[in-house]
Amino acid sequence: MTTTEHQPITSKEIGGIGHSVRRVEDDRFIEGAGNYVGDVNLPGMLHMAILRSPLAHAKILSIDSTAATDHPGVVAVITGADLEGFNLAWMPTLSGDTQAVLATDKVRFQGQEVAAVIAEDPYIAEDALSLIAVDYEELPVITNPEQAMAEGAPVIRDDKEGQTDNSVYHWEAGDKDLTDRAFADADVVVTLETHYPRSHPAPLETCGVVADINPATGQATIHLTSQAPHAHRTLFALVAGLPEHKIRIISPDLGGGFGNKVPIYPAYVIAVAASLVIGKPVKFIESRTENLISTGFARDYYMKGELAVSSEGRILGMRATMVSDQGAFFADAQPTKLRAGLFHICTGSYDFQAAHVVTDGAYTNKAPGGVAYRCSFRITEASYLIERLVENAAYELDMDPAEFRMKNFIKPDQFPYHSATGFVYDSGDYHTALQKALDAVDYENFRKEQAEARKEGRYIGIGISSFTEAVGAGPSRDYDIVGLKMIDSAELRVHPTGKAILKLGVKSQGQGHETTFAQIVANELGIPVTDIAVVEGDTDNTPYGLGTYGSRSTPVAGAATAVIARKLREKARKLAAHLLEASEDDLEWEPGKFFVKGAPDRSVTIQDIAFAAYTNFPEGMEAGLEGVHYYDPPNLTYPFGSYVVIVEVDPETGVWKVDRMVAVDDCGVRINPMIVDGQITGGLTEGFAAASMQWMTFDDDGNCMNSNMMDYLIPTAWETPRFELHSTVTPSPHHPIGAKGVGESATVGSPAAYVNAVIDALRPFGTTNIDMPVLPHRVWAAIQEAQSE
Ligand code: CDP
């Protein structure tokens, strides 16, 4: 059932679900009183700097670190050869590949870690890097999958036994025969070849570590910029051979992550090894350039999509082939079974049963990554492909793109919907969302204005993107990362005075968990949000979980929170029956208290009950009011929405400007509408960046051209359009509170709307594609090309 808003069941004072409670974490962030890894300074702490390869592909002939070692203030210089002695020169990646910690044989991308200096202060460490002499023999460089897959291409991963080419994986989904038949029946086949460029999450805070291994006790305390502290602890135990119970990962405040803080980076392993050997804490904080050139990038998918369509405008089938540029090591953080993440959700919001998706990955001489940058494992690329294809299909058939979508959307009564490539969409109402967006821009009238404007030589265009996301991995039967099942957990303790503490396995990077998860507890137990503390990011003090990425916190940890709160409420009912000397069945609950049916005066508050749990519990009952729940979701949740963008293109320069951007989002029940709007605004800004200005490029020698923020652009308030936010509410049927994730939808769904709008504006020229980012010179070139034909 879709509604436009969700009515809170709790009062404003309690502040449960549906209230725009002010973010409790913001006081310390705004006052500059946050505590980040960079703020951690321990007695006797040493500092690490990393020497990185200037070349994208080269043999290492020799490394001479004598001068650096002799430099005053330098404590140690570490090379790959040193790490080999500890079996730590290579480490496993989250995709089951191997990655060099410090290069021993070859360097495989510009920025790769070659040696590390440990010194008394960070400046000495940095200075000493220039004293290390590395003799390289240059090798041919591969910067795209086409070169990588070409006959006779140099094998980048010659370290891997049996690897004779640059193929990383081959993976397929869907039904080839059924799809071939659909294409044979098609009246029209629409084709689109496009590249979703490489981008970088570029969080405000770069990655860092303070590794502190106590030589006396063997206790390893690792302060880490980590979106997944528990998984990282397990991986440290496996990689470094440290006993897991002696590893404590502390992920303090994070200044953004967006997927960038999911992988384990070589620097973390080197710092731990250095602290272990030297016996002192070792700190490493990346520079901006190091972050951009060597840590987890995103996207870089070369896609070809085909839609088989009937002359009446029905989609009959889809083919998608995709080759992904994985860089030198396959280090995507994604479910083990799914080599191309959830790219096979590329059938989008449309009802057809014939689809075949073929995916390949290629090694290149670029940084590894492929992280879920505000994206649930490659859905951004999938969503972009289908929304661009659908737009082109409508034009090819001379149909209105909005009407074409409405005709092909999955209908509300078809949910749960089994998609052609194996997803079970839990709920949706795509027609209502798109209609709401169209109404907001007065679509019909706009088309008339557009026709008039064209007569005057003005090129205005409207673009639509209707996306479906799949967020909240598990379920564990299908989803694991390096074998760790994708569950999550919540531990809730109500103290005698009725104040509570909630501990979670996920980790906020700024999304407001301290506020919203307290709201879930407030909703379930009626304890005011101000009386609930939320703790995350310390593996010694929180229950196990797989972490925060792919908008999984709300669907998984949020569900765990609701379930454990409900369990405590059941125990509270027993305590209330004892206190009121009534039968449990005679009690009614309203947020914050139990009362006897028909006698509302006979009541006890949750605070009274909490006190009784420690002071006056019935005989035979275990004392206390606390518990932990591990939640294994039965399915993903499927947020959706429709975005409509209006642009005007100047054909003389190719410059395009956004006149309006309307966003209709549906993330199910909104826990905190203000935070949801904030998430969407941030996501839309990143979607606009992808469409208009942001990409990572490399020259033919593999030099990264975007190693700083003058060259890798982050939109400011100056260029970001004003977003008009609307919503519908279609609760997830299986989630305990009906919530779906929202952290990434806007980044996933919105880029296609901008590109579709520019393409729409250029219809008079017959332009059918411009790759992202839609830079003015590309628009201008497309117009010139069209005019010369
Ligand atoms: O996993 P991550 O926290 O990045 O993403 P999320 O689960 O989509 O949540 C992002 C923020 O939005 C959190 O503070 C959520 O609690 C909040 N949210 C909400 O208030 N209502 C929803 N239906 C979904 C998320």
Side-chain angles (χ1 to χ4, degrees):
M1 190 193 66
T2 302
T3 59
T4 46
E5 58 190 71
H6 173 77
Q7 292 305 328
I9 59 161
T10 46
S11 65
K12 202 162 172 263
E13 290 64 44
I14 290 175
I17 292 174
H19 293 286
S20 287
V21 176
R22 220 173 132 252
R23 288 169 41 117
V24 295
E25 44 271 85
D26 282 356
D27 286 348
R28 68 175 189 277
F29 295 155
I30 290 167
E31 287 168 14
N35 179 41
Y36 299 87
V37 172
D39 296 320
V40 176
N41 290 309
L42 303 175
M45 189 173 79
L46 301 173
H47 297 264
M48 183 171 91
I50 292 184
L51 182 72
R52 294 177 184 275
S53 171
L55 301 170
H57 200 193
K59 255 190 212 160
I60 296 179
L61 300 179
S62 65
I63 301 177
D64 183 355
S65 55
T66 329
T69 310
D70 293 345
H71 189 65
V74 169
V75 176
V77 178
I78 304 172
T79 62
D82 300 324
L83 291 183
E84 263 172 346
F86 298 89
N87 203 19
L88 280 180
W90 291 82
M91 63 178 191
T93 70
L94 295 177
S95 282
D97 196 1
T98 47
Q99 177 172 356
V101 177
L102 284 173
T104 47
D105 53 342
K106 290 203 306 191
V107 286
R108 293 176 170 84
F109 67 93
Q110 186 192 53
Q112 188 178 337
E113 298 77 1
V114 175
V117 174
I118 316 291
E120 283 162 8
D121 80 41
Y123 306 100
I124 294 175
E126 199 66 37
D127 287 350
L129 293 181
S130 60
L131 301 175
I132 303 173
V134 185
D135 198 5
Y136 294 105
E137 179 188 313
E138 288 193 45
L139 294 168
V141 173
I142 290 176
T143 58
N144 62 53
E146 201 185 337
Q147 293 170 350
M149 301 298 218
E151 192 81 23
V155 178
I156 295 170
R157 294 302 304 279
D158 50 355
D159 57 289
K160 291 179 78 168
E161 222 180 291
Q163 181 83 33
T164 53
D165 57 20
N166 292 312
S167 168
V168 181
Y169 67 84
H170 176 86
W171 193 82
E172 297 188 19
D175 186 329
K176 182 175 183 316
D177 292 342
L178 189 68
T179 308
D180 287 347
R181 285 202 293 280
F183 273 80
D185 291 344
D187 296 314
V188 178
V189 172
V190 184
T191 306
L192 177 78
E193 279 193 60
T194 184
H195 176 221
Y196 203 119
R198 179 174 279 237
S199 63
H200 197 283
L204 198 56
E205 178 205 28
T206 60
C207 300
V209 58
V210 179
D212 178 19
I213 323 289
N214 185 317
T217 62
Q219 172 67 38
T221 307
I222 304 169
H223 300 262
L224 196 65
T225 47
S226 170
Q227 295 179 226
H230 289 276
H232 286 164
R233 183 186 58 185
T234 304
L235 292 171
F236 267 113
L238 296 173
V239 175
L242 298 166
E244 194 167 2
H245 66 294
K246 294 222 164 176
I247 305 174
R248 179 179 181 193
I249 305 266
I250 300 175
S251 181
D253 288 331
L254 297 182
F258 312 113
N260 188 229
K261 290 169 182 167
V262 177
I264 293 200
Y265 294 115
Y268 302 166
V269 179
I270 307 166
V272 169
S275 176
L276 191 66
V277 173
I278 300 167
K280 288 188 171 178
V282 174
K283 181 175 192 171
F284 171 73
I285 304 287
E286 279 173 348
S287 68
R288 175 62 58 193
T289 294
E290 289 181 298
N291 182 255
L292 284 171
I293 69 169
S294 70
T295 67
F297 75 91
R299 328 291 189 230
D300 220 349
Y301 263 27
Y302 293 79
M303 304 179 283
K304 181 178 174 193
E306 293 171 279
L307 273 193
V309 192
S310 75
S311 52
E312 297 85 51
R314 289 284 321 179
I315 303 174
L316 306 174
M318 178 185 193
R319 285 193 191 115
T321 47
M322 184 283 293
V323 186
S324 135
D325 182 335
Q326 292 296 151
F329 307 102
F330 184 31
D332 285 28
Q334 67 190 5
T336 306
K337 274 192 201 169
L338 305 167
R339 302 286 71 190
L342 304 185
F343 178 72
H344 53 307
I345 200 166
C346 58
T347 57
S349 312
Y350 306 100
D351 177 23
F352 58 93
Q353 282 302 310
H356 188 225
V357 182
V358 181
T359 64
D360 280 280
Y363 287 119
T364 61
N365 292 118
K366 288 151 83 175
V371 297
Y373 165 32
R374 267 200 125 138
C375 167
S376 192
F377 314 116
R378 306 296 195 169
I379 296 186
T380 309
E381 294 91 323
S383 177
Y384 181 72
L385 182 65
I386 184 71
E387 285 309 300
R388 288 285 299 107
L389 265 175
V390 160
E391 193 81 3
N392 282 8
Y395 285 127
E396 182 101 1
L397 292 168
D398 209 16
M399 264 179 88
D400 180 89
E403 187 194 336
F404 183 80
R405 285 181 170 83
M406 291 288 197
K407 194 170 180 140
N408 285 286
F409 276 153
I410 300 161
K411 296 184 185 63
D413 62 7
Q414 287 179 282
F415 293 94
Y417 179 82
H418 292 252
S419 87
T421 54
F423 293 86
V424 185
Y425 295 11
D426 65 352
S427 59
D429 184 351
Y430 306 144
H431 298 82
T432 302
L434 177 55
Q435 194 57 54
K436 204 164 180 177
L438 296 176
D439 291 347
V441 294
D442 195 356
Y443 187 66
E444 275 178 34
N445 200 35
F446 172 83
R447 285 292 184 197
K448 286 183 203 143
E449 284 174 14
Q450 182 183 38
E452 287 304 310
R454 276 183 188 163
K455 284 184 206 154
E456 295 163 18
R458 283 178 58 215
Y459 296 90
I460 57 176
I462 192 160
I464 300 171
S465 174
S466 295
F467 68 94
T468 291
E469 264 246 81
V471 305
S476 70
R477 66 172 179 275
D478 295 325
Y479 294 89
D480 69 84
I481 289 192
V482 290
L484 298 170
K485 298 286 190 183
M486 296 187 74
I487 46 77
D488 239 286
S489 62
E491 183 186 313
L492 179 59
R493 179 175 307 156
V494 186
H495 303 307
T497 56
K499 317 283 179 190
I501 185 161
L502 174 72
K503 300 180 174 189
L504 300 167
V506 290
K507 174 71 190 108
S508 181
Q509 310 125 48
Q511 298 93 318
H513 289 185
E514 288 170 50
T515 308
T516 49
F517 283 84
Q519 287 182 253
I520 298 175
V521 175
N523 211 64
E524 298 297 336
L525 292 181
I527 299 174
V529 277
T530 43
D531 287 352
I532 303 160
V534 176
V535 175
E536 298 181 334
D538 179 347
T539 54
D540 268 10
N541 284 314
T542 54
Y544 204 90
L546 266 276
T548 293
Y549 38 87
S551 286
R552 61 186 298 280
S553 301
T554 302
V556 194
T561 301
V563 172
I564 191 59
R566 284 175 194 178
K567 284 187 187 169
L568 296 201
R569 198 168 69 208
E570 280 320 296
K571 182 166 184 188
R573 177 185 288 277
K574 291 187 199 314
L575 283 156
H578 169 68
L579 294 175
L580 292 168
E581 293 176 353
S583 146
E584 275 179 55
D585 299 337
D586 286 341
L587 295 184
E588 293 233 31
W589 168 255
E590 79 172 41
K593 65 176 178 190
F594 278 106
F595 60 91
V596 178
K597 272 181 205 157
D601 292 350
R602 287 186 61 204
S603 65
V604 274
T605 65
I606 187 73
Q607 289 78 10
D608 299 333
I609 295 168
F611 198 65
Y614 300 88
T615 59
N616 177 17
F617 44 92
E619 229 179 278
M621 180 187 275
E622 192 180 342
L625 196 54
E626 66 177 80
V628 59
H629 183 79
Y630 281 79
Y631 186 77
D632 187 355
N635 189 2
L636 300 156
T637 63
Y638 292 78
F640 61 92
S642 271
Y643 299 142
V644 174
V645 167
I646 295 176
V647 300
E648 176 152 7
V649 180
D650 176 355
E652 301 292 319
T653 60
V655 170
W656 54 279
K657 292 215 166 84
V658 177
D659 284 344
R660 289 189 68 184
M661 196 299 163
V662 170
V664 178
D665 273 275
D666 192 318
C667 60
V669 171
R670 298 176 163 224
I671 302 164
N672 183 321
M674 178 194 69
I675 287 184
V676 167
D677 283 353
Q679 292 288 303
I680 292 168
T681 302
L684 288 175
T685 307
E686 291 183 349
F688 171 69
S692 63
M693 64 180 76
Q694 205 170 68
W695 61 345
M696 312 242 16
T697 51
F698 294 79
D699 70 10
D700 291 346
D701 295 326
N703 294 308
C704 178
M705 310 305 282
N706 315 84
S707 59
N708 62 72
M709 285 194 166
M710 292 299 281
D711 296 323
Y712 186 73
L713 302 179
I714 306 284
T716 66
W718 179 265
E719 50 284 283
T720 306
R722 197 173 72 81
F723 305 123
E724 301 168 44
L725 306 187
H726 302 264
S727 60
T728 55
V729 177
T730 309
S732 169
H734 63 82
H735 191 278
I737 57 170
K740 307 175 181 184
V742 75
E744 61 200 33
S745 298
T747 309
V748 168
S750 66
Y754 296 97
V755 184
N756 285 341
V758 172
I759 296 291
D760 185 56
L762 300 185
R763 290 314 301 172
F765 299 103
T767 303
T768 55
N769 192 37
I770 300 174
D771 274 345
M772 285 196 298
V774 184
L775 300 168
H777 75 267
R778 288 180 157 181
V779 177
W780 188 83
I783 295 171
Q784 301 310 306
E785 195 185 310
Q787 282 177 335
S788 68
E789 275 169 11

